[in-house]
């Protein structure tokens, strides 16, 4: 398998968070998207939240019309978001759970209990030519349900794995990595394309990148944070190097839990 078989989608939501802290236009998420592509991003991800706390409707319009790489629109499973997606026809929609009070997307989408509503929701997007991804916990029953509702892709939520790494919980990290490996194998066997993301950093990316069934990682907050220190193209380039190294040297051992900065 070529190392480039692992794509990097850069999530630019938090460029918009910074812009919105003062209002106005700066920093511009579209400019960030161009710089991420310059650094090696294969696609751009943006989450249009119901409360518009970061990405705005105008951002989506500009990204869709000006980007040279695929746009992955993250959104909740609401009628309003479905209409927006159908208007813009992004390359993919990643359906995520959304709670107003949460700081970020906590936990995966409930699929088993929502089959009746998800099936037609997904079918309508697919009919318009949009690939549909479900952001889920790495759980076998949820993967089975994702295949049943007609999803093209599952994105495995790596948040718990990353949190355990931050807590230096080596046993927990090993357990979570095994869950991701099993989930990726099951999803690919069910005919689903496999993505992963949430909370990934330079320290935690390699073991996830080394899972052969995973073909795309979506990474945002850490890259935007690193961009402050060395620029976005540099941060994306460094992440790409680590991802490619992980693919060249598979299998990668569990990460040494990360030491917190004093
Ligand atoms: N994938 C999905 C579905 C997400 O909701 C997010 C966060 O917006 C990410 C990936 C990226 O997570 P992070 O910003 O922590 O890298």
């Amino acid at each position: 398998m070529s190392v480039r078989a692992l794509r990097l989608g850069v999530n630019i939501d938090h460029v918009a968070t910074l812009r919105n802290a003062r209002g106005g236009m700066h920093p511009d998420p579209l400019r960030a998207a161009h710089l991420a592509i310059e650094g090696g991003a294969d696609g751009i991800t943006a989450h249009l939240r119901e409360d518009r706390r970061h990405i705005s409707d105008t951002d989506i319009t500009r990204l869709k019309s000006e980007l040279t790489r695929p746009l992955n629109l993250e959104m909740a499973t609401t009628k309003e978001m479905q209409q927006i997606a159908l208007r813009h026809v992004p390359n993919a929609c990643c359906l995520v759970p959304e709670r107003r009070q949460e700081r970020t997307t906590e936990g995966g989408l409930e699929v088993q209990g929502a089959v009746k509503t998800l099936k037609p929701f997904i079918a309508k997007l697919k009919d318009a030519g949009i690939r549909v991804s479900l952001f889920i916990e790495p759980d076998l029953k949820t993967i089975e349900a994702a295949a049943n509702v007609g999803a093209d892709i599952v994105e495995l939520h790596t948040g718990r794995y990353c949190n355990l790494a931050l807590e230096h919980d080596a046993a927990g990290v090993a357990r979570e990595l095994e869950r991701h490996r099993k989930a990726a194998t099951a999803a690919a066997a069910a005919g689903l394309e496999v993505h992963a993301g949430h909370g990934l950093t330079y320290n935690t990316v390699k073991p996830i990148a080394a899972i052969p069934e995973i073909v795309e990682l979506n990474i945002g907050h850490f890259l935007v944070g690193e961009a402050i220190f060395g620029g976005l193209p540099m941060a994306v380039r460094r992440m790409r190097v680590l991802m490619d190294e992980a693919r060249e040297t598979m299998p990668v051992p569990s990460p040494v839990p990360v030491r917190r900065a004093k």
Side-chain angles (χ1 to χ4, degrees), residues 11 13 74 94 96 104-105 135 155 197-200 218-221:
N11 180 315
D13 291 351
E74 280 181 19
C94 181
V96 301
T104 181
T105 314
F135 189 43
E155 179 164 328
H198 208 280
L200 292 170
N218 282 301
I219 308 180
H221 182 266

Side-chain angles (χ1 to χ4, degrees), residues 164-181:
L164 289 166
L166 278 172
E167 289 161 12
H168 319 301
D169 181 346
V173 162
R175 191 183 59 238
E176 276 305 308
L177 282 174
E178 194 49 29
R179 278 182 82 211
H180 280 81
R181 288 187 198 106

Side-chain angles (χ1 to χ4, degrees), residues 25-101:
M25 299 288 286
H26 185 76
D28 179 8
L30 178 62
R31 185 172 166 208
H34 287 309
L35 287 170
I37 290 166
E38 184 187 313
D42 300 287
I44 296 298
T45 294
H47 184 174
L48 185 66
R49 280 187 168 265
E50 288 183 271
D51 63 8
R52 311 299 199 268
R53 70 173 74 155
H54 37 55
I55 293 293
S56 68
D57 297 69
T58 307
D59 290 328
I60 297 298
T61 304
R62 292 175 71 225
L63 287 166
K64 182 63 185 81
S65 65
E66 294 184 44
L67 271 188
T68 53
R69 293 283 155 88
L71 174 65
N72 174 31
L73 173 63
E74 280 181 19
M75 60 183 220
T77 54
T78 64
K79 193 85 202 141
E80 182 204 12
M81 288 299 152
Q82 190 184 47
Q83 279 163 359
I84 291 170
L86 293 172
R87 203 172 328 124
H88 292 290
V89 191
N91 185 71
C93 279
C94 181
L95 307 183
V96 301
E98 225 176 84
R99 283 179 284 273
R100 283 286 156 92
Q101 289 79 13

Side-chain angles (χ1 to χ4, degrees), residues 140 143-148 151-154 156 180-195 211-215:
L140 299 184
I143 286 163
E144 199 182 308
N148 285 340
D152 300 294
I153 305 161
V154 283
L156 305 179
H180 280 81
R181 288 187 198 106
K182 285 195 173 133
T185 306
L192 294 159
E193 188 171 302
V194 191
H195 300 179
I211 298 173
E213 292 87 358
I214 294 178
V215 298

Side-chain angles (χ1 to χ4, degrees), residues 99-133:
R99 283 179 284 273
R100 283 286 156 92
Q101 289 79 13
E102 70 187 357
R103 243 189 250 168
T104 181
T105 314
E106 290 160 7
L109 191 70
E110 164 62 32
V111 184
Q112 287 112 296
V115 171
K116 265 201 184 144
T117 48
L118 276 177
K119 248 190 188 174
F121 192 93
I122 292 170
K124 203 156 182 185
L125 295 172
K126 285 176 71 170
D127 285 348
I130 302 168
R131 305 189 73 223
V132 179
S133 171

